[in-house]
Amino acid sequence: MTVHAPNRGGMPKRLLDNQFVGGLALFIVVILAWQLCSSLTFVIPAPVRTLEVLGANLTDASYIFDLRVTAQSVFQAFLIGTLLGGLIGLGLGLSERARLWFEPLLVILNGIPKIVLYPVLLPLFGLIGAKVAMGVLFALFPVLINVATGVREMPRVYWKLASAVQANPWQKLIYVILPAIRRPLLAGLRLAVSLSVVGVVLSEFFATRRGLGRVVLQSYNHGDYPVMVATVVLLIAVAFVISILLWRWEKRLR
Amino acid sequence: MKPSGIEMSEVSVRFDTPDGAVHAVESVTEHVPDGSFVSVVGPSGCGKSTLLAVISGLQRPSSGAVAIGGKTVTGPDPSIGVVFQEDSTLPWRTVEDNVRFAMQCNGVGKGEQRSRAREAIELVGLAGFENAYPTTLSGGMRQRVALARTLAVEPEVVLMDEPFAALDQQTRIFLGAEVRRIWERTGQTVVFVTHDLSEAILLSQQVWVMSYRPGRILEVVGVDLPAQRDPAIVSSHEFNELHNRIWSVLQAESMRGFQQQEAARA
């Protein structure tokens, strides 16, 4: 930004209006609160201790393997969920009839707690496939809903323009629809990233051989709270960083 | 003689609405001579935009046909350029990329796209704004971008659907003069839909007056004004006479349309 507010309050006022400074201040407050909580209960390790455990974990080959298993499942879930959600959303956005028929079904499906389907998915997709499928179910809806709404709310003149210049269906998609829905699409992707992590890790809590969800549950069973909290913090941190990056990209769009 | 210009024969468009059929366009048989500038005026709600949509190939007529240069219009074609009333610039593309959009879809080569885009941008007076985004431009400038995009394809026929309706009076007069100047240079056939009588007379060689539903061409008025026109001509005797003549037809029609709409609402 090149525009500066009149510098009436001097330097401190300018600093307080800076988002980065605000975010940093909030971060410090959270760390302090964490420190305080850790002195109240033995379940929560101190921030520094957590960081040490996290560092140790990340040099442990077995832990890295768990991390990779989870990351792979999340990535697959995100990819499939986004593609599937995007395609269905596109169909619902383009066809009024499809919307009419499928909207009630989708509202119901989106409304049910998806994790209750896990016992059904397990025998269907196996141990590895089921958690990806669960991640897909979680990631699917925000993309689907945002794409469908975005396509439906596209200015009508874009359609007229595309027809008048004889854009073929592919050109309509690449040159008009995708850029026109860029904002809701990216917002949907941002949600899909976090939700595919939720879907996969949640599944790993229930039944799986490897993965960070299993690490969390195992360390809980062993009362190894530092490892448990360090893993949870790692999951939060990764989802947080990806969300921030996507959010910044979203803000830079025209 | 080779058929030329735009030939409309018995063009009708009917829409089925919950309140019954609407005859937007009814048996229009008219000819737009090749290279001429024709304006269509009519009360709001008459089928002037629909008639334009039929010529552009975006709307199929319920019956009848339109031929351009002897070729029947069956759908959109690169030889037919359209400028819409709404802002149709794509906000994620720069001015130059907006102007290239139509050529891109028509498979014009990259180098050719670039040179023709630059030329069209120059023609509409936007030189220097090639890399600007539409959101940073005024409404009038965005309509120039849309015009440049249409002209860059080098269509035989340019159809304009109230392109300046959303703009302020000064911008409208100024852009109208620009359109007239560009038409004098390119010699394209132009059909210009507007609800502004002065604009229609000032720009065109012929003014068609359209009726409220069913939409028929009530009168074709030749504009006998000098080819070189500046906006000061609106205060001339000839201009006023034309204005009064068209207005007397239009006024009765507007009244009828207004009463029909009121009756439908009651």
Side-chain angles (χ1 to χ4, degrees):
Chain A
M1 291 293 273
T2 52
V3 184
H4 290 286
N7 195 3
R8 267 191 225 106
M11 202 53 190
K13 172 115 174 62
R14 272 235 310 260
L15 269 177
L16 289 178
D17 285 338
N18 184 313
Q19 193 168 39
F20 177 74
V21 172
L24 194 69
L26 209 62
F27 179 72
I28 292 168
V29 169
V30 169
I31 296 291
L32 285 176
W34 182 1
Q35 182 71 45
L36 195 70
C37 289
S38 68
S39 63
L40 297 176
T41 166
F42 69 97
V43 175
I44 301 173
V48 176
R49 172 90 183 107
T50 307
L51 219 62
E52 279 169 16
V53 175
L54 186 59
N57 281 345
L58 289 177
T59 50
D60 177 16
S62 168
Y63 191 89
I64 291 293
F65 183 78
D66 282 312
L67 177 63
R68 222 172 54 207
V69 166
T70 299
Q72 249 167 27
S73 301
V74 168
F75 182 69
Q76 285 167 3
F78 170 74
L79 215 65
I80 299 169
T82 301
L83 278 176
L84 214 58
L87 282 175
I88 301 173
L90 191 63
L92 293 183
L94 290 175
S95 159
E96 186 58 31
R97 184 168 296 150
R99 189 181 71 86
L100 216 61
W101 286 19
F102 290 102
E103 202 170 38
L105 179 73
L106 287 166
V107 169
I108 293 166
L109 277 181
N110 191 28
I112 59 167
K114 290 157 202 74
I115 197 68
V116 301
L117 293 174
Y118 194 54
V120 185
L121 295 179
L122 260 179
L124 275 176
F125 294 101
L127 265 187
I128 307 264
K131 64 184 179 186
V132 175
M134 187 52 64
V136 168
L137 276 183
F138 269 85
L140 185 72
F141 288 97
V143 181
L144 188 158
I145 291 165
N146 280 15
V147 168
T149 313
V151 171
R152 214 174 308 133
E153 284 175 359
M154 246 172 71
R156 284 189 51 200
V157 71
Y158 290 176
W159 296 114
K160 283 202 285 182
L161 173 66
S163 304
V165 303
Q166 293 171 284
N168 61 38
W170 176 249
Q171 288 169 330
K172 277 183 190 165
L173 181 68
I174 297 300
Y175 292 153
V176 183
I177 299 174
L178 282 181
I181 64 165
R182 64 210 178 282
R183 274 171 223 281
L185 177 64
L186 255 182
L189 290 185
R190 194 152 54 84
L191 285 168
V193 172
S194 332
L195 286 175
S196 46
V197 175
V198 172
V200 168
V201 174
L202 207 55
S203 305
E204 287 175 348
F205 283 166
F206 290 97
T208 193
R209 260 189 281 280
R210 302 300 298 246
L212 290 183
R214 190 204 56 105
V215 172
V216 171
L217 201 70
Q218 213 165 44
S219 45
Y220 164 76
N221 285 333
H222 297 165
D224 190 355
Y225 295 132
V227 170
M228 182 183 86
V229 172
T231 308
V232 170
V233 166
L234 176 67
L235 285 167
I236 292 173
V238 170
F240 179 76
V241 167
I242 296 173
S243 288
I244 286 280
L245 290 177
L246 285 172
W247 178 64
R248 292 195 60 137
W249 187 20
E250 215 175 303
K251 271 181 52 176
R252 279 223 325 264
L253 285 178
R254 282 194 177 270
Chain B
M1 205 184 96
K2 180 180 164 286
S4 64
I6 307 170
E7 201 73 63
M8 291 162 236
S9 44
E10 292 293 320
V11 173
S12 295
V13 181
R14 283 177 294 274
F15 295 114
D16 288 316
T17 70
D19 306 323
V22 169
H23 295 250
V25 179
E26 182 79 6
S27 306
V28 171
T29 301
E30 294 292 340
H31 177 232
V32 182
D34 198 21
S36 64
F37 198 125
V38 170
S39 284
V40 183
V41 296
S44 53
C46 85
K48 46 193 199 295
S49 291
T50 308
L51 182 64
L52 204 74
V54 171
I55 304 174
S56 71
L58 286 171
Q59 165 85 48
R60 280 188 174 275
S62 309
S63 62
V66 176
I68 292 176
K71 223 177 79 201
T72 304
V73 175
T74 53
D77 191 272
S79 67
I80 312 165
V82 194
V83 182
F84 301 103
Q85 177 181 347
E86 310 95 311
D87 175 16
S88 62
T89 54
L90 306 174
W92 56 89
R93 285 173 172 243
T94 60
V95 167
E96 186 176 328
D97 287 344
N98 261 291
V99 174
R100 287 162 78 147
F101 174 64
M103 293 187 280
Q104 238 172 1
C105 293
N106 285 322
V108 175
K110 278 248 165 68
E112 174 99 22
Q113 273 179 31
R114 202 182 153 77
S115 62
R116 269 158 72 173
R118 295 269 161 157
E119 213 175 297
I121 289 168
E122 175 95 45
L123 190 63
V124 300
L126 280 181
F129 289 94
E130 288 84 354
N131 297 317
Y133 282 90
T135 41
T136 64
L137 304 178
S138 67
M141 286 164 99
R142 286 185 218 175
Q143 280 308 67
R144 285 169 192 249
V145 175
L147 182 60
R149 177 177 59 210
T150 304
L151 294 174
V153 183
E154 294 170 1
E156 290 169 42
V157 170
V158 178
L159 308 172
M160 299 198 215
D161 187 6
E162 304 201 38
F164 310 140
L167 306 177
D168 62 78
Q169 185 70 15
Q170 286 91 331
T171 312
R172 211 149 83 188
I173 292 172
F174 187 61
L175 277 187
E178 289 280 289
V179 164
R180 171 110 189 157
R181 179 183 61 81
I182 290 166
W183 166 72
E184 280 161 3
R185 267 181 64 176
T186 60
Q188 285 154 322
T189 310
V190 177
V191 181
F192 190 97
V193 166
T194 177
H195 58 256
D196 184 329
L197 257 189
S198 302
E199 189 175 62
I201 300 169
L202 196 57
L203 295 184
S204 34
Q205 299 174 307
Q206 258 181 32
V207 177
W208 297 3
V209 185
M210 207 164 167
S211 67
Y212 190 71
R213 293 165 197 164
R216 291 197 179 90
I217 302 298
L218 289 178
E219 204 167 327
V220 173
V221 180
V223 179
D224 253 343
L225 294 175
Q228 289 298 322
R229 300 172 194 177
D230 70 283
I233 208 163
V234 294
S235 52
S236 74
H237 176 67
E238 291 84 354
F239 188 93
N240 272 317
E241 220 160 64
L242 277 167
H243 194 284
N244 290 341
R245 190 174 142 204
I246 299 168
W247 178 234
S248 64
V249 183
L250 197 57
Q251 196 179 23
E253 256 335 290
S254 298
M255 207 51 186
R256 200 171 65 81
F258 185 68
Q259 279 162 353
Q260 269 189 32
Q261 281 173 336
E262 288 288 293
R265 216 169 285 146

